[in-house]
Amino acid sequence: MKQVQAAAQLRSGDVTTILKDTLADISADEKAGRVPSQDKLNTALWAANKKGDGGTESVLIQKLLNYYPTKQLWAQSLGTLQAKKGFAAGRYQVDVLRLRLVTENMTGANDYMELAQLAGAAGYPEEGKKVLDKGFAAGVLKPTDDNARPKRLADLLDKRIAEAKAGAAEAEKAARGAREGDELVKVGFAQVQRGQAAAGIKLMEEGIAKGNLKRPDDAKLYLGLAQFLGGDKAKAQATWRTVKGTDGSADLAGLWSVYARSAKH
């Protein structure tokens, strides 16, 4: 009877009722310890999309990824996120590419080059070099491609890594002297990417505690990522749950949270 009722609601286009009833079914399944069916989740996702309920849509995407993760679903979810109304696509391009990388959804050489460039420009040359190395190891990139552009970028990142190491103490001193905590967060995340997780996370926490942050939710998003990269999944999950931004930070935190549950890290 429920299937007949649902079919009738679909034909009538009553998305509000469809969403309410399907969400109730999903909730009942979860409370009873059952995995909701993929059909239920897809129906609710369709209704949320039709209704323009972005918050519910994000939650349902995370549930689908949690219960039925596939490489293709990750690609679809990241594409949907970038097209979501209010998502700060330009500012979070590096974050989307980070998720593409870990979910094996890089679409080719350009994705590796773009992520490496964006990471380097953001002050994380070690991350950029690691991305290039992965591209080289996968055979997607070759140093001589495109008039040796990957080789030139690798050389530039090596130079920036050496400069960052030489200026690390001065950068930390300047960050501590700033009124805002943003530079401490940035310097700390750079240390994490350099392989100094404990020290970097401590600086990031200090920066968040200092306050006067330009984007507090971004700082918590990256603290969670730093904790995950440092091997502390439990703390990362707890930190990501505090991210509430409506410009994309909460969506990204939710996706990282889903990924981290099954990641072999």
Side-chain angles (χ1 to χ4, degrees):
M1 286 302 296
K2 278 195 172 185
Q3 288 177 332
V4 172
Q5 183 184 23
Q9 289 170 343
L10 282 169
R11 285 195 298 273
S12 72
D14 183 5
V15 294
T16 299
T17 304
I18 292 168
L19 182 59
K20 180 182 175 184
D21 290 350
T22 313
L23 287 175
D25 281 350
I26 291 167
S27 178
D29 283 338
E30 291 179 324
K31 284 178 182 176
R34 298 187 300 267
V35 174
S37 74
Q38 200 164 358
D39 283 345
K40 280 183 191 174
L41 290 165
N42 281 327
T43 298
L45 182 61
W46 170 84
N49 179 267
K50 285 288 184 184
K51 194 179 176 185
D53 186 343
T56 301
E57 195 175 355
S58 295
V59 169
L60 288 163
I61 286 172
Q62 289 172 29
K63 286 184 186 294
L64 273 164
L65 289 169
N66 189 45
Y67 293 124
Y68 304 100
T70 64
K71 178 181 172 180
Q72 293 74 20
L73 182 57
W74 271 107
Q76 179 187 343
S77 301
L78 290 169
T80 300
L81 176 60
Q82 287 177 291
K84 182 180 176 181
K85 185 178 179 182
F87 182 72
R91 196 168 90 243
Y92 289 126
Q93 180 64 7
V94 65
D95 299 282
V96 171
L97 285 167
R98 281 171 176 149
L99 279 164
R100 285 196 186 282
L101 180 66
V102 297
T103 60
E104 300 179 0
N105 273 296
M106 299 295 258
T107 58
N110 286 341
D111 276 358
Y112 284 94
M113 288 292 289
E114 184 178 8
L115 178 52
Q117 286 174 318
L118 288 171
Y124 314 121
E126 288 88 355
E127 180 186 16
K129 187 66 190 305
K130 282 183 274 190
V131 171
L132 282 185
D133 288 343
K134 285 182 180 179
F136 292 142
V140 179
L141 283 177
K142 291 184 177 62
T144 55
D145 286 347
D146 194 13
N147 293 318
R149 187 165 158 251
K151 173 69 166 58
R152 291 197 302 274
L153 179 57
D155 290 343
L156 175 62
L157 290 170
D158 280 336
K159 181 183 176 184
R160 288 187 177 172
I161 288 169
E163 290 171 348
K165 284 180 179 177
E170 191 60 36
E172 184 176 331
K173 182 180 176 182
R176 287 186 187 282
R179 180 177 173 273
E180 302 80 10
D182 298 280
E183 280 304 307
L184 275 170
V185 173
K186 182 177 176 180
V187 168
F189 194 60
Q191 281 196 12
V192 173
Q193 293 290 357
R194 203 171 294 138
Q196 300 165 355
I201 289 168
K202 187 176 178 182
L203 282 179
M204 294 179 78
E205 290 172 335
E206 189 178 326
I208 290 170
K210 179 180 277 195
N212 299 315
L213 296 161
K214 186 176 180 182
R215 295 188 178 95
D217 282 300
D218 283 13
K220 290 183 284 187
L221 168 66
Y222 299 133
L223 174 60
L225 183 52
Q227 290 164 332
F228 172 63
L229 292 173
D232 196 334
K233 287 186 183 182
K235 277 192 178 178
Q237 295 284 9
T239 299
W240 282 325
R241 283 194 292 272
T242 68
V243 181
K244 306 295 183 184
T246 58
D247 56 355
S249 56
D251 295 305
L252 288 162
L255 290 176
W256 272 113
S257 182
V258 170
Y259 171 76
R261 287 188 199 114
S262 58
K264 295 174 182 178
H265 190 282

